[in-house]
Amino acid sequence: MDLRHLSYLLEIAKQQNMTKAAQTLHLSQPTLSKIVRSVEDELGAPVFDRSGKGLRLTDSGAAAIRQIPAVLRAVQDLHTAMDDVAELKTGTIAIGLPPVIGSVFFPRVISPFQREFPNVSFQVTEEGAKRIEGLLLSGELDIGVVVGPVNAQSFHAVPFIRQQLALIVHEAHPLAGRRRASIAELADEPFILFSYGFAVRQLVLRACQAAGYEPRILHSSSQWDLMAEMVAAGVGISILPDVICSKITDPRIRVIQLDDPVIPWELDVIWPRDNYVPHAVRSFIKFIRLSEGMTD
């Protein structure tokens, strides 16, 4: 049913005269009469009683006229909502972030994006990289940030941060006065690492195994600040991304660069290749590319 035809019925009911309504609508009277009959056929009941000199609404017609304004408003609201989404006046992005990088990603990307698009909201899920990948593939998240490399067959990826991991020790530790250290030198140390499912943990484990030993993991945590507190208390050592080390202000902690080997820490913004990408997410991806100096 053509929505314009419903608006024609409103005008006819207002004028109570087919000829006057046709003049107002800039239609010929026969054309308008044909439209009305067509609408009545679709509704399965007469809208107007034509037995007298003028037009009167039938019971069915009165019921229809009461509903038509609501129908037209609902359709208009639908178009407005679609336009708002297309123009990014509104939208929601479900994003997965490892807890370790939330404090970096928010000020660097999300905050400036929301200044430009204040009505786009974010639903943030904090999980490890593997869990984020699973939530993306199941459609529970739109976009995620993980430590690369990622499976290129399953995900699109945009590089975000390219840094490396660093060692943190207590100020009284034998290595505290050093600027650099190797993974091999840490074979007998008690490690404080991220929990299972965190990519940083796997990077450290692989580096230790390549150096010929399995690290002795004393504590595991999902919170880098708690890990730093344990190091400051002399409980053990930890290996964290450079960007996190730069946030540690406890004077008891020393940051030492690892150079044998360097352990790269590369963050990628990813989204599934086979899933629908909402308009707000596409705009967010474009924003990230521009903010990181990349082109599409």
Side-chain angles (χ1 to χ4, degrees):
M1 183 181 296
D2 192 323
L3 293 174
R4 291 175 301 171
H5 295 172
L6 295 181
S7 66
Y8 295 168
L9 296 185
L10 292 179
E11 185 61 31
I12 296 169
K14 176 183 175 182
Q15 299 290 346
Q16 296 185 337
N17 184 283
M18 190 74 70
T19 301
K20 289 182 179 179
Q23 292 173 348
T24 302
L25 295 170
H26 305 290
L27 295 171
S28 68
Q29 192 272 333
T31 297
L32 186 56
S33 296
K34 183 178 179 181
I35 291 172
V36 171
R37 286 194 296 272
S38 175
V39 173
E40 289 176 328
D41 288 342
E42 287 194 60
L43 293 176
V47 175
F48 297 104
D49 177 4
R50 302 169 178 79
S51 61
K53 293 183 178 179
L55 290 180
R56 294 185 303 169
L57 287 170
T58 62
D59 290 343
S60 297
I65 292 300
R66 284 195 298 270
Q67 295 299 319
I68 287 173
V71 172
L72 296 177
R73 281 196 303 272
V75 173
Q76 180 58 48
D77 288 347
L78 173 62
H79 285 295
T80 299
M82 298 297 285
D83 289 342
D84 284 350
V85 170
E87 296 172 14
L88 216 60
K89 293 179 181 177
T90 185
T92 300
I93 298 174
I95 185 169
L97 299 175
V100 67
I101 66 98
S103 60
V104 178
F105 199 77
F106 270 92
R108 184 164 167 173
V109 179
I110 291 181
S111 292
F113 180 81
Q114 289 195 301
R115 283 196 294 270
E116 187 168 343
F117 304 104
N119 293 321
V120 176
S121 61
F122 286 84
Q123 294 179 348
V124 179
T125 298
E126 289 191 310
E127 292 284 357
K130 294 302 180 184
R131 175 64 174 157
I132 288 174
E133 290 182 4
L135 293 173
L136 286 168
L137 292 175
S138 68
E140 296 175 66
L141 293 176
D142 297 315
I143 195 167
V145 181
V146 300
V147 176
V150 299
N151 184 346
Q153 293 184 332
S154 299
F155 298 101
H156 293 286
V158 173
F160 175 57
I161 287 179
R162 294 293 182 261
Q163 292 188 346
Q164 61 190 52
L165 302 184
L167 170 68
I168 61 171
V169 301
H170 187 269
E171 61 181 351
H173 192 279
L175 296 175
R178 298 263 297 273
R179 296 184 60 186
R180 299 182 182 279
S182 69
I183 287 290
E185 293 178 273
L186 308 178
D188 297 324
E189 298 288 342
F191 279 74
I192 301 166
L193 294 182
F194 278 108
S195 303
Y196 292 99
F198 284 75
V200 172
R201 181 189 179 98
Q202 299 307 314
L203 292 175
V204 174
L205 290 179
R206 285 197 292 268
C208 293
Q209 291 161 357
Y213 68 93
E214 289 290 336
R216 179 165 61 94
I217 303 172
L218 198 61
H219 293 288
S220 298
S221 175
S222 62
Q223 303 299 321
W224 69 265
D225 51 350
L226 176 58
M227 297 163 65
E229 287 178 10
M230 285 192 280
V231 172
V235 175
I237 66 167
S238 189
I239 296 177
L240 299 172
D242 278 338
V243 69
I244 298 303
C245 292
S246 67
K247 294 180 176 295
I248 297 174
T249 58
D250 195 307
R252 296 171 294 173
I253 291 179
R254 300 291 182 268
V255 179
I256 303 169
Q257 293 302 310
L258 291 170
D259 61 2
D260 186 16
V262 169
I263 307 177
W265 188 65
E266 301 178 347
L267 289 180
D268 292 328
V269 178
I270 67 171
W271 63 100
R273 287 188 175 275
D274 297 332
N275 292 11
Y276 169 71
V277 182
H279 183 71
V281 177
R282 294 198 301 271
S283 298
F284 186 52
I285 293 167
K286 182 178 180 180
F287 185 88
I288 293 171
R289 289 182 185 276
L290 292 174
S291 67
E292 297 300 311
M294 292 174 282
T295 56
D296 291 327

